[in-house]
């Protein structure tokens, strides 16, 4: 059974840019090695993440993430069973330096969430829009 969790969180104030890049790159590496797909974005002091994969792997990973003191205000948007196989790898990106909304990138991110059912896709799309534009 595959499972997906989507959440947003606030990065700790003292978190250096280099530390954030390290989180993004180590997550990408571990997730790709463990068949975890999804998206991790950092923008304006906040994280937005989708993790999708084998249920136990995802719930254990989320416990780790929850306990990580590099961020707080972890707000889970949903956690649900997924009935379609993921088809893409893991994306980790820094969007804070983007002064404008890049439709191509947005479309690319949307492709990452195609494993979700329609209402969930819509919800994530709206959050992504808010996350990337403001
Ligand atoms: C916002 C955020 C997102 C993270 N996402 C992942 C992730 O997707 N995959 C991952 O392996 N670690 C991720 N981590 C790091 C984990 O919290 C944790 O450090 C990692 O699982 C290693 O745990 P361990 O030191 O107990 O082995 C994330 C950390 C933060 C702050």
């Amino acid at each position: 059974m595959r499972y997906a969790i989507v959440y947003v969180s606030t990065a700790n104030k003292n978190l250096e840019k280099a530390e954030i890049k390290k989180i993004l790159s180590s997550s990408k590496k571990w997730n790709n090695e463990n068949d975890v797909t999804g998206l991790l974005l950092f923008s304006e002091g906040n994280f937005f993440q989708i993790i999708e994969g084998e249920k136990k792997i995802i719930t254990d990973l989320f416990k780790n993430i929850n306990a990580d003191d590099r961020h707080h205000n972890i707000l889970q948007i949903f956690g649900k069973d997924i009935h379609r196989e993921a088809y893409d790898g893991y994306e980790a990106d820094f969007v804070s330096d983007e002064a404008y909304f890049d439709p191509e990138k947005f479309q690319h991110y949307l492709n990452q969430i195609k494993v979700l059912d329609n209402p969930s896709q819509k919800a994530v799309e709206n959050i992504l829009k808010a996350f990337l534009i403001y």
Side-chain angles (χ1 to χ4, degrees), residues 17 24 26-27 38 46 54 57 71-72 81 86-87 89 92 115 133:
K17 200 167 173 173
L24 297 179
S26 65
S27 297
N46 300 300
E54 197 274 317
I57 287 184
H71 65 159
H72 58 282
D81 293 330
Y87 70 96
V115 291
I133 294 173

Side-chain angles (χ1 to χ4, degrees), residues 9-115:
S9 69
T10 309
N12 286 352
K13 279 247 172 331
N14 55 0
L15 209 59
E16 304 277 345
K17 200 167 173 173
E19 184 68 20
I20 293 163
K21 286 200 164 150
K22 207 167 94 188
I23 295 172
L24 297 179
S25 62
S26 65
S27 297
K28 194 169 178 170
K29 182 171 186 293
W30 192 90
N31 293 6
N32 280 326
E33 284 167 4
N34 289 276
D35 191 26
V36 172
T37 64
L39 192 59
L40 173 60
L41 301 177
F42 174 82
S43 177
E44 303 286 331
N46 300 300
F47 290 107
F48 169 82
Q49 189 170 31
I50 305 171
I51 43 176
E52 187 271 342
E54 197 274 317
K55 192 166 188 169
K56 172 102 172 61
I57 287 184
I58 295 302
T59 49
D60 285 351
L61 173 60
F62 192 54
K63 273 185 208 149
N64 258 1
I65 292 173
N66 251 305
D68 197 312
D69 61 9
R70 291 172 292 186
H71 65 159
H72 58 282
N73 286 346
I74 300 159
L75 175 69
Q76 184 174 343
I77 295 152
F78 61 72
K80 56 169 64 177
D81 293 330
I82 295 295
H83 302 288
R84 283 170 62 186
E85 191 67 28
Y87 70 96
D88 218 343
Y90 201 82
E91 291 283 326
D93 217 346
F94 227 132
V95 289
S96 58
D97 295 331
E98 232 106 333
Y100 62 95
F101 177 67
D102 181 346
E104 223 172 79
K105 228 174 184 187
F106 182 64
Q107 193 51 51
H108 182 66
Y109 293 149
L110 287 185
N111 286 336
Q112 297 287 117
I113 59 168
K114 284 206 170 133
V115 291

